[in-house]
Amino acid sequence: MSAWNIAPKAEKFHRDALVWDNIFPFFDLYFFSGSMTGAQAGLFDPKYKSLRTYADAGCDVIGLTVAGSKTGLTHTMRIIANNLGFLRANADKYVLAKTADDILNAKRDGKVAVVFNFQGSDSLEWELDTIALYYELGVRQMLLCYNTRNSAGNGCHEPNDDGLSEFGKAVVKEMNRVGMVVDASHTGYRTTMDMFEVSTAPVIFSHSNPAKLQAHPRNVTDDQIKACAQSGGVIGVVGFDGFLPGKRPSVPSLVEAIDNLADKAGIDHVGLGLDRIYCEDMFRQALAANTSAYPQGEDGHYSTPAQFLSPAELPQITAALMERGYREEDLRKILGGNWLRIAREVWK
């Protein structure tokens, strides 16, 4: 057996394939005081250390969430600046990917490619011109609404979903223009369907699971899945217990979600978006403190222990899919090839 405790054939395939986890929340940094640079913080910040977990598990591309709901422009710029400082100081290990070729070159050179994303559009502060600015800084993906209502539209936990606002429609069009991927995760049903209608480029669900397997407002219905596939988009399976079949954060439950999506959307529209919170205790505190974004109890579905599948399990996911009988060409698409296709089609 290999160092990952999987069969040698599975290890060889995993090392050779492009492995891309599209979502790793990364914006709640410890050094907002301004007394420390990103390079210095990287020496001890546990989020930066957790990047090595991905690399050690054979992950070639990591989608770093560098801004979220209620993150304003100034705060966002500070986060991006610190992360860019960290990447400059660790250029022997990481590459900020701005093109699809950057990703392939990083894998060839034995480095991990990093792609910035936003989980929410509050960082725009009603200014469409900031989209192009963020794109220049490396942000390649943005979801519009994080669970609740904002200037663009409605989140998945809003009791009334009026769809995209006029500003939200303009945001989608500007994202299309600059080459930023439109992300519908965390967003209300009608708002997501408006996004598919307005966008001229593929729209993705970066980290969502099938609602048929686990009922949860954050998961997506069959018609959302089909609309995403029809747009050319990809749905990333997420490793949070509350979103998985049986509320089990395990490789078998994640593979079950992949099976379901592959059946409904097709192999070309399935990817990985584990959404691994680096500190589960911190996330549990956030659940308890923000009940509007995370409704509690059985109706709200945030009554679970809040556990996540670790990126260290990525080799086991590959091995399990091989044992399931997936063809190698299809496995390559699920592990990262489909996200690479999105990059080639959308990024400019």
Side-chain angles (χ1 to χ4, degrees), residues 2 36 55 58-59 69 78 96 111-112 138 167 213 247 266 300 340:
S2 73
M36 189 175 300
C59 188
S69 178
R78 194 169 196 173
L96 177 65
K111 299 179 182 181
V112 175
F167 177 71
L213 292 183
K247 299 184 178 181
L340 183 66

Side-chain angles (χ1 to χ4, degrees), residues 30 32 41 50 57 67 69 71 104 106 111 123 139 149 169 199 205 216 231 238 245 269 283 298 304 306 309 331 341:
Y30 287 146
F32 289 152
S50 67
S69 178
T71 311
L104 296 177
K111 299 179 182 181
S123 297
V139 179
R149 186 190 310 271
K169 293 175 183 177
S199 180
F205 287 103
H216 194 291
S231 81
V238 55
H269 307 287
F283 184 67
E298 285 303 315
T304 66
L309 192 69
L331 264 177
R341 171 181 62 80

Side-chain angles (χ1 to χ4, degrees), residues 294-308:
Y294 306 105
Q296 305 296 300
E298 285 303 315
D299 291 339
H301 300 285
Y302 287 101
S303 56
T304 66
Q307 297 177 341
F308 298 80

